[in-house]
Amino acid sequence: QPNLCDEYRGTSPRTLREGTQFAFNAADVPTNYPIAQHLEMSFLRSPPRQLYFGCMKASRSAGGETALCDFRKVYQDLSPELREKFATKKIKYTRKHLMVGEKWTYDVGAMLGWPQLFGTEDLDEVEEICLQEQAPKVTWVGKNKDTFLQEWIDEPYQR
């Protein structure tokens, strides 16, 4: 399939659905876990242009709904002054992953350790993957230099 990806580089803990090549769980968290509205993987150099949602197994309990948001409408509802700031100011992204993700946290991004994110515990291999994906340079920080960190400044928002 052209342009479909079977690797997930987002921050939520997700797994590829068994028996599929391109379908991931929405998030490997309890159904009552709060996930804030967000722009899916917008921090990546090449974020997905299309996403598809489906239900492969109906929930037997309450929760698990996926609320969708039209961020074009959100943008239009912002004050002209704030839209002007988005159009003229740059944005700084910071991505940080520990070697082992945190289990009991409301920060979904902290749940995923970098070995799980990249499928390897080899720091050099992680750097090579990022290079191949034209992702920002990786810096290894922390006491043991085993915490993944990427920081970069991006251009102003473009409509």
Side-chain angles (χ1 to χ4, degrees):
Q1 295 286 334
N3 300 321
L4 293 179
C5 185
D6 61 356
E7 295 175 334
Y8 172 70
R9 296 284 186 247
T11 55
S12 296
R14 294 182 182 179
T15 51
L16 192 62
R17 296 284 305 179
E18 187 176 334
T20 70
Q21 188 176 356
F22 303 107
F24 289 86
N25 291 338
D28 297 335
V29 297
T31 57
N32 63 343
Y33 195 88
I35 298 176
Q37 293 295 327
H38 59 281
L39 299 168
E40 192 66 24
M41 293 183 272
S42 61
F43 51 84
L44 296 177
R45 291 278 188 228
S46 184
R49 293 184 56 98
Q50 295 178 337
L51 296 171
Y52 300 92
F53 288 91
C55 179
M56 298 177 100
K57 181 180 175 186
S59 176
R60 290 194 235 180
S61 64
E65 296 92 1
T66 299
L68 299 178
C69 178
D70 183 348
F71 277 97
R72 296 168 297 188
K73 173 75 170 118
V74 171
Y75 177 80
Q76 291 303 316
D77 289 347
L78 296 175
S79 71
E81 296 81 19
L82 185 53
R83 287 199 309 261
E84 178 64 19
K85 281 186 179 181
F86 280 124
T88 58
K89 303 244 181 218
K90 295 186 179 194
I91 184 169
K92 180 178 181 180
Y93 288 97
T94 300
R95 262 189 109 177
K96 183 177 179 182
H97 291 276
L98 301 174
M99 184 155 191
V100 176
E102 297 177 39
K103 187 170 177 92
W104 306 108
T105 177
Y106 279 109
D107 179 0
V108 177
M111 291 179 166
L112 201 60
W114 61 262
Q116 187 180 359
L117 178 64
F118 291 100
T120 180
E121 290 187 10
D122 185 315
L123 281 63
D124 293 330
E125 194 173 338
V126 170
E127 291 177 18
E128 181 60 30
I129 290 169
C130 290
L131 185 64
Q132 289 174 4
E133 294 179 352
Q134 299 178 341
K137 183 180 182 323
V138 176
T139 304
W140 298 101
V141 298
K143 182 177 151 188
N144 298 317
K145 300 289 186 201
D146 63 355
T147 298
F148 171 93
L149 178 69
Q150 286 177 317
E151 292 185 305
W152 69 99
I153 295 175
D154 217 340
E155 293 303 312
Y157 167 78
Q158 301 294 320
R159 287 198 300 178

